[in-house]
Structures are given as C-alpha cells and as structure tokens.
Amino acid sequence: MDQSVITSYNEAKKLYAAHGIDVDAVLDKLAEVKVSLHCWQGDDVRGFLFRDKELSGGIAVTGSYPGRARTPRELRDDLEKALSLIPGKHRVNLHAIYADTDEKVDLDELEPRHFQKWVDWAKEQGLALDFNPTYFSHPKAEDGFTLSHPDEEIRRFWIRHGKASRRIAEHFGRELGQTCYTNFWMPDGYKDAPVDRLAPRQRLADSLDEIFEEQIDERYNIDGVESKLFGIGSESYVVGSHEFYLGYGLTRGKAITLDAGHFHPTEVISNKLSSVLLFGKQLILHVSRPVRWDSDHVVTMDDELLEIARELVRGDLLPRTSLGLDFFDGSINHLAAWIIGTRNTIKALLRAMLEPVDKLRQIERDGDFTSRLALTEEFKSYPFGAVWDYYCAKQNVPVREEWLSEVKNHERDVLLKREGGAKETVNS
Ligand code: RNT
Ligand code: ZN
C-alpha cells in the first residue's frame, strides 16, 4: 500500500481517537454493508425480454452515451468491472425484463430457470440478488394501469406476473443463501384529476393481497412496496401513494420501500426512516437524487445522502434495511454512474460512522445546542478522506479517482467496440 495513504490514515486515526472513535472497528463494520446495484443503469432500463419496446411507466432515460450493455453477458461483464472498482462485497438488483433466456416468454410465464444464468454468475461472484417485477414497458401497461386496472383480464395478467416474480426471488434466496428483496413498484395513475380515487386503490390492495397469498419463507424472500408522488403521465394521481403503501405495508407485514426521489421537492426520506422502522420490520431504500421533475440522477455526496447515512448509522437501522440504488443516467459512462453512486453511498456511511454519536446524543439531551451545532459542523471537515483512501486500498480497489482511468480504458477497449450494435438498437 502507498506509504502516504498509511501515514495520512494514522494521522486521521489520532484525531478520531480523541473523540473515542475506533477507526479500525469502523472499517470492519463498513465492510459488512452491502449496496444493491441496480442492473438497469447498465442499459438505460431496456432489459432483454422486449428489446424493441419503448421505456414506459412514466420514467425516462435521457442521453445516448455509447456502450450500454445489449446482452445479459455484456451487462454481467460491466457489473463485474464496476464492482471491481467499488470497495466491499455487494448485491445486484434485477428486474424481470432482464431474464436471460432464448425462449419467447411473457412476464406472467417467467420461471426461475429463465434467470438461472444470473444465479450461476452470482454464485461464482459471491453476490446476492434482489428482484423486481416489471410493471412497465409492456403492451398491457400502455394505458398506465397494471395491478389496479379496471379490466379484469389485464389485472389478472399482472397478478400472475407478481406471483411468478416472488417464485423467482425465492429461488434466488434459496440458491444464494442470502435473502432476496423483491420490490413492487407500479406506475398506475392518472394524468388528470380522477373522479374516483378509491376504486383503483381498492383494486391495487386486492391484487397485492392475492400476489402475497403464497407463503414464502422470509429467509429467502422479503417483499417491499414502493410509493411515488407522481410520474410523467400520472401527474395528478398515483394509485400507490405514500399513504397507500405505508398503510398497506404496515398492515401486511411488508417492507416499505422509500425512493429518495419520490416525494415533494422539500420533503426528504432521511426524516422518515426512524418513523417507518419504529412501526415496520424492514425497509428498502432506493437511493437516488431528485432534480426538479426527474427523480433519477446519479447519487452525489449531497446533504440528503449524508443525512440518510447518518439516520441509518445513528439509529442502528442498517440491519433492517436493504440499501439499494435507483437512478438512470444515459448521458455519462454507464459504469461510472454505478461507481460514483455506490462509492458515494458507502463513503457517506463511513462519514456517518466517523461521528462521535454518543457524545453528540448526550450533548443534545443536556440541551447544549450550541455545542451540538459547533461539533457537528467541525466534524464535516474532519479527515474522513484519509480513512476512505485507506479503506479502498485495504479492499484492493483504486484509491481516489484512480478508478476513472480504468473506466476510460474499459470504455475504449470494450464499450466503444459495441457502439455499432448499440446505435442500431437505439434507432430501431
Ligand atoms: C420508478 C421507481 C422504480 C424504478 C425501477 C426501474 O419511479 O423508482 O423503482 O425506478 O423499478
Ligand atoms: Zn425506485
């Protein structure tokens, strides 16, 4: 390891030790944290089942950066490369449309075997898998409704898809020996103000109840439900609102999924974690970054990311939280997006773990808000960067921005060679 990395680390350690923080112990704890990398950043949310289908569901990818993965093999290669530049052991989050099969199979007919290649790969790589049924980019989702559809036949199709998805997830959990988190998000909603807000919500609740009827061992699969405030084309009403899923999840024992980009612009999820986990068992996080209408920018080291990390650490919520990412940026290198977002998420947790929480808690209980503000502000410039560099070196991944040249080389040697094929599909 580079001597200067070690020297800076030792200096930093002394400063933290003065506040009773054992940095080596913090790094052991940090190494336990797994982030679920969302496969859909690798190919602009296209998937492999319906390659010609436009992305729908009120979500959008902008940008046409070259080199997105066009096959499951390419996507796995890219994930491997990205994961090799991120410290720690992590998870991969799949969507149903990423099935790896030559069969022509519809969403309601999917079976575990259509994902066996993903499972074999995950085993070989020592990764866990998470799962999502796909309630968009499909002819039966074109009018914006799925599980709350008024047409019984369409609604039943989507119920079958939900059931099939849970069986796939159970298979992941069983095969990989790590619980799979299955996240249910559907875009259902109206562009304009509805007359009847209740009936679609009643149908959604009924559909979900039916999907969850089958008992699945929670060692293998845990289901979560994700709300949203609005989407493109569902500006006035989303069936699965926050209140809907908070009520649904808590009464049905399901995990609540909070996406950082799914709330009012001044509303933050960091302030919700302690309440949700006070009453609920499990949380799934979609760490994302909202920018105006778009909820899906690459995660940066902003105040909200830091606050989410602090909440998870201070409240000891990590053991009950599945920490995943959810953004899709088609305007930059697809691997870099994963790497930046994941490294930032881990780095934010490190920063949170390097705060003298017990001392700060005591100061707050004593009512000394002057010291609380003074110390939390001073800690913002404590040398966490030296600890982060050491952690990366210790985990055998590039220190600081060294990873960028590896990504650039990979782009030149691998991604740009895909360009012809990628363009063809983009234009089709
Ligand atoms: C959409 C939700 C959802 C999706 C993924 C692709 O607004 O955030 O989680 O981004 O399922
Ligand atoms: Zn999300």
Side-chain angles (χ1 to χ4, degrees):
M1 193 185 297
D2 190 310
Q3 191 51 48
S4 71
V5 169
I6 299 174
T7 311
S8 304
Y9 177 65
N10 286 332
E11 284 306 311
K13 254 169 84 164
K14 283 186 215 154
L15 286 175
Y16 287 112
H19 287 279
I21 299 165
D22 178 347
V23 180
D24 289 318
V26 162
L27 293 188
D28 289 342
K29 208 167 146 197
L30 190 64
E32 302 281 299
V33 178
K34 288 178 190 287
V35 179
S36 194
L37 267 76
H38 54 315
C39 76
W40 51 94
Q41 164 57 44
D43 77 331
D44 303 336
V45 207
R46 279 160 187 268
F48 307 117
L49 277 189
F50 315 105
R51 292 174 203 231
D52 301 330
K53 199 91 196 95
E54 283 283 309
L55 177 59
S56 75
I59 51 179
V61 181
T62 52
S64 53
Y65 202 85
R68 66 177 174 76
R70 299 158 303 171
T71 63
R73 183 69 266 166
E74 289 180 354
L75 187 55
R76 286 193 283 268
D77 287 348
D78 290 353
L79 279 162
E80 269 177 46
K81 182 74 196 171
L83 285 163
S84 76
L85 303 172
I86 296 165
K89 271 258 156 255
H90 299 286
R91 313 170 58 92
V92 168
N93 200 358
L94 294 178
H95 240 283
I97 48 171
Y98 289 80
D100 186 351
T101 175
D102 295 330
E103 286 174 49
K104 240 196 126 17
V105 55
D106 208 345
L107 291 174
D108 64 334
E109 302 156 342
L110 282 171
E111 290 182 27
R113 67 191 162 86
H114 299 118
F115 291 86
Q116 193 53 42
K117 287 189 196 138
W118 281 107
V119 172
D120 294 342
W121 171 77
K123 247 185 215 166
E124 173 199 301
Q125 299 288 318
L127 295 163
L129 292 176
D130 294 312
F131 199 62
N132 302 258
T134 307
Y135 288 103
F136 52 83
S137 301
H138 187 279
K140 289 197 167 63
E142 231 140 53
D143 56 6
F145 284 84
T146 61
L147 285 180
S148 68
H149 209 290
D151 181 312
E152 190 57 12
E153 214 173 292
I154 296 180
R155 193 174 73 90
R156 300 230 64 82
F157 170 85
W158 290 114
I159 292 174
R160 289 197 299 279
H161 176 50
K163 291 185 173 194
S165 295
R166 293 181 77 230
R167 282 182 212 124
I168 293 161
E170 180 191 27
H171 178 70
F172 288 177
R174 202 187 284 274
E175 286 284 304
L176 299 169
Q178 295 193 68
T179 316
C180 172
Y181 286 81
T182 303
N183 180 53
F184 283 78
W185 171 75
M186 57 284 318
D188 301 32
Y190 285 118
K191 182 184 182 76
D192 235 323
V195 171
D196 189 348
R197 290 169 192 270
L198 181 59
R201 289 190 169 133
Q202 183 66 63
R203 285 195 293 268
L204 179 54
D206 291 347
S207 300
L208 289 169
D209 282 347
E210 200 173 328
I211 290 171
F212 297 138
E213 247 165 30
E214 190 175 332
Q215 291 305 312
I216 292 183
D217 192 328
E218 293 215 329
R219 275 177 304 165
Y220 304 132
N221 176 58
I222 289 180
D223 309 292
V225 286
E226 180 182 11
S227 68
K228 193 169 184 175
L229 177 66
F230 79 94
I232 308 168
S234 60
E235 289 85 355
S236 304
Y237 168 81
V238 168
V239 184
S241 61
H242 181 51
E243 294 72 11
F244 176 89
Y245 279 129
L246 198 56
Y248 187 86
L250 292 180
T251 52
R252 287 4 183 228
K254 297 293 167 194
I256 305 290
T257 304
L258 296 176
D259 185 310
H262 284 194
F263 294 85
H264 282 278
T266 59
E267 195 178 354
V268 283
I269 64 163
S270 52
N271 194 27
K272 301 182 189 293
L273 312 189
S274 49
S275 302
V276 170
L277 278 185
L278 195 57
F279 302 108
K281 286 195 298 193
Q282 294 274 345
L283 195 67
I284 299 177
L285 286 192
H286 275 189
V287 182
S288 184
R289 178 168 54 104
V291 176
R292 305 202 187 279
W293 64 269
D294 185 341
S295 64
D296 296 301
H297 281 62
V298 177
V299 168
T300 56
M301 184 63 73
D302 60 9
D303 286 348
E304 173 58 359
L305 180 67
L306 279 168
E307 208 52 34
I308 291 171
R310 289 190 186 109
E311 282 300 305
L312 291 172
V313 169
R314 290 175 185 171
D316 196 20
L317 306 181
L318 279 165
R320 292 194 287 147
T321 303
S322 163
L323 187 58
L325 304 174
D326 185 15
F327 47 78
F328 15 101
D329 189 337
S331 73
I332 62 173
N333 179 295
H334 293 75
L335 282 76
W338 273 320
I339 297 163
I340 294 166
T342 316
R343 283 178 68 118
N344 275 336
T345 303
I346 302 166
K347 202 192 289 178
L349 287 166
L350 170 65
R351 288 182 70 174
M353 289 176 184
L354 289 174
E355 287 180 347
V357 183
D358 293 338
K359 187 186 265 183
L360 291 169
R361 250 196 212 113
Q362 188 56 49
I363 286 171
E364 185 168 87
R365 264 200 300 265
D366 295 344
D368 182 0
F369 305 139
T370 310
S371 300
R372 180 180 66 181
L373 186 61
L375 275 183
T376 47
E377 285 306 297
E378 286 303 331
F379 258 81
K380 286 182 179 168
S381 51
Y382 263 54
F384 63 87
V387 180
W388 170 249
D389 292 347
Y390 175 82
Y391 180 64
C392 288
K394 195 174 159 218
Q395 294 279 336
N396 289 316
V397 303
V399 172
R400 290 189 285 272
E401 64 278 12
E402 273 168 21
W403 62 266
L404 183 58
S405 53
E406 287 214 31
V407 166
K408 291 282 181 187
N409 291 342
H410 176 264
E411 179 172 304
R412 185 195 59 221
D413 299 339
V414 180
L415 300 188
L416 291 180
K417 301 212 165 110
R418 290 179 191 164
E419 187 40 2
K423 260 205 176 125
E424 218 170 84
T425 341
V426 166
N427 294 334
S428 68

